Amino acid sequence: MEESERFIFTKEELAERVQVSPVVESDLKQIITDRMEQCGLYFRVFSRIKTSASMARKFEQKEYGGDRRIQDLVGVRINLYFDDDVEICRHIMEQTFEAVDWSTSERNEDEFKPIKLNGVFRLPEYLKDEISADTWEMGIDDTFEVQIKTMFFEGWHEIEHDMRYKGEELWVNYSGFSRYLNSILATLELCDKSMVTLFEDLGHALYKDGRWSDMIKSHFRVKMSDASIYPEVQELLDSDSENGSKLAKKLYKTKRIVLIDQLLKRSRRVPINVNTIIALLNEDVLHDGRLTAIFRKRDVYNDGREESLAESRHYELRPLTRQTVFQMCTEVDGSRMNSLPADSEADAEHIFWACVEQIYGWIVKKYSPLFKDMPLQPTTYHADILAYHVAVNLDAQRKRMNMHVRHMDPDVGGRIWYSEASLVMQKKVCLCVSNGYAEAKRDDRPEREGAGIFFSYPGYYKLIVDGIGIYNSIPCSNRRRIIREEGLPVLEAAVRDSNRNFPIVVIVSKEDSDGMMDEDWLGAFRVSDFTRTVWRYAHVLTCYEEVGRKLLSHLRQTPAFASETFSAFDEAEIPRLYIFWPGGEVDDFGPEDVENCSFGRHLEARGDARTYDIVRGGQAFYHKIVTDLRDWNVSADMWDGFQLEIMTEIPG
């Protein structure tokens, strides 16, 4: 692979742009745990989110580029107690997530090593939305990895990995010790196989002795409650055995995967005991009417089921308060539509329908697994399933589309996430977006750090900005832009535009001895990276001192900037960084502001534990400005959505 094609990112770049909500890790772990417990397997689950340092090291050591991307941003490890559960676990994962790839370590005659199965799965769409949009531009795939292995091998794998795989020099010229280690590993592999053989042989002995309940426990090896076998079932199996019938033999001959499949198919988790196991296998394998009558009379799947804490608890209902995490109202101009012929412009109708396709396509991808009847082509559609809601009103004749979707937070009880959009075509195409969540105020809940910490624009907004193009007083661009003198009238008009919803960041720098823009004063600010981070909700422009002073001088001659507040513009020392906020406010920063800036950058959040990395100088200034832009966005009086108290339909 050519060096220019490789993905190479620094630890700092990855830490800044790859932001993974703790919900992603905890939710994946909980989904897997729930499925494994539903099947009664003996297991342990561990998980982690890859650190920026680990990702940077992986980019350095391996060749990633093009379609080859890091696939284990989130990793889950499942440790199993029985060797034959590995394939069963694989089956469960394939029934739960969209599998992308499988790989396994190979056995050979000369080497013993951990036998593990690695699966790569597509992230559920709602969890992908909990990861910063910049992540997918950093050589990272929208997948997660699951490692499946047995407890015996997990017990020594970390030592073997560090002391042999990473420490090959330890074994050079000491082949005897290496063979000794191999013999130990062979013993562990034998232990894995022997445990399964032991319980299979025990199950066969119990079957021969007519101990049906114990035979089922030993043969199927799942976690079971202590419920006793129904007397009438015991009597039926005993009499059938004496009369030469093969009910008990069929139970013993049934493979464990058949039981697992039956448990997976249940719409809700059922108690696992000897009676429910026989009932499940009767439905799929035995088909014995006598057993069916017994289990129907006994209501077997509810027998012994205890009322959960959630079912018995009384909740005080409180009104929900909405918190915006992103909003925007802007024109969609079609400037980035690659499907257009060269030297042509998209008309408003073409742009409108392109936006409809992106918004509706996003809804289908995210919600169609819940709403099976959802049409694949854009149309008016309303549906509800408990806390999940989709409402789309599409008026093809008037060229209007409104939508509202919402879903519950799988990790935080009482929190509902929503996204709303209004798309209207008149002479131009206008898009309004509101993303946020709603939750009840609780006196016993600690104050949160503000909606800005959840800052997130919906996936359809990104698709429209990136693939269709928007215009917010000036065109939106993810590339570094240098303003020349001929471009000043356009920039001045944008700064004064009362309809602008993008803050405008203008960086004015001096010219160095080579005639280039001298940006050493910004330190680690990295203008190009900053632009790529904020370009979907803020404009970033740079200019030389002469052009910058003309801009400031011209603005001072307009009423909005004629007050004493801006009198220092003309005499300001260059270099400077200005933020022209919508509404007329201006922030002004010089080299001393950059040098003296410090920032507690949030790195991790696990439960109530938070880790902050205190950075200073240009890097800190970078984080501060990004945070300021995001905080302004979530707090601005821009477009608050439809604001309906009870949502069944939305305005047409």
Side-chain angles (χ1 to χ4, degrees), residues 283-511:
E283 291 182 11
D284 191 59
V285 179
L286 305 179
H287 308 297
D288 187 281
R290 296 166 296 175
L291 286 174
T292 301
I294 293 171
F295 293 132
R296 184 182 295 118
K297 182 178 180 180
R298 286 277 195 165
D299 194 12
V300 64
Y301 298 123
N302 288 311
D303 184 24
R305 180 173 176 265
E306 295 182 0
E307 182 181 53
S308 68
L309 181 61
E311 291 171 324
S312 60
R313 184 184 298 153
H314 169 71
Y315 292 96
E316 179 185 355
L317 300 181
R318 298 167 180 258
L320 300 179
T321 302
R322 291 165 60 124
Q323 300 287 338
T324 302
V325 300
F326 178 80
Q327 56 181 327
M328 185 53 61
C329 287
T330 188
E331 176 190 344
V332 186
D333 65 352
S335 57
R336 301 174 70 88
M337 295 180 69
N338 297 327
S339 60
L340 296 175
D343 302 323
S344 65
E345 295 183 359
D347 59 27
E349 185 169 353
H350 190 179
I351 295 170
F352 172 81
W353 286 109
C355 292
V356 169
E357 290 283 349
Q358 295 290 12
I359 296 172
Y360 192 83
W362 176 85
I363 294 173
V364 168
K365 186 176 181 181
K366 188 179 183 73
Y367 290 95
S368 61
L370 294 170
F371 303 106
K372 303 298 184 182
D373 65 336
M374 181 182 292
L376 299 182
Q377 299 303 317
T379 185
T380 294
Y381 177 79
H382 296 172
D384 286 278
I385 299 178
L386 299 177
Y388 301 99
H389 176 83
V390 171
V392 179
N393 284 348
L394 177 60
D395 188 332
Q397 185 174 2
R398 297 167 61 200
K399 301 298 186 296
R400 299 171 64 90
M401 179 186 190
N402 291 329
M403 77 83 166
H404 171 101
V405 296
R406 66 173 180 263
H407 64 268
M408 63 182 178
D409 190 311
D411 189 61
V412 180
R415 180 182 293 166
I416 303 292
W417 288 94
Y418 69 87
S419 186
E420 297 175 338
S422 172
L423 185 69
V424 179
M425 188 198 92
Q426 295 173 342
K427 291 183 179 180
K428 300 177 181 179
V429 177
C430 295
L431 171 69
C432 289
V433 174
S434 179
N435 225 34
Y437 65 92
E439 62 183 0
K441 279 193 172 183
R442 291 272 300 277
D443 297 335
D444 58 345
R445 180 174 292 173
E447 288 293 324
R448 301 192 181 278
E449 297 181 46
I453 194 173
F454 295 118
F455 182 86
S456 173
Y457 40 77
Y460 61 83
Y461 177 77
K462 177 182 183 297
L463 293 170
I464 290 173
V465 175
D466 295 10
I468 301 177
I470 66 173
Y471 182 93
N472 205 284
S473 298
I474 56 176
C476 181
S477 176
N478 63 345
R479 296 180 178 274
R480 179 182 180 130
R481 288 182 283 188
I482 300 178
I483 298 300
R484 311 293 181 182
E485 188 167 349
E486 60 270 19
L488 279 178
V490 174
L491 177 56
E492 292 168 18
V495 170
R496 294 192 295 266
D497 188 353
S498 60
N499 294 318
R500 171 171 58 90
N501 285 320
F502 269 44
I504 298 178
V505 180
V506 178
I507 302 169
V508 185
S509 295
K510 293 183 177 181
E511 185 177 303

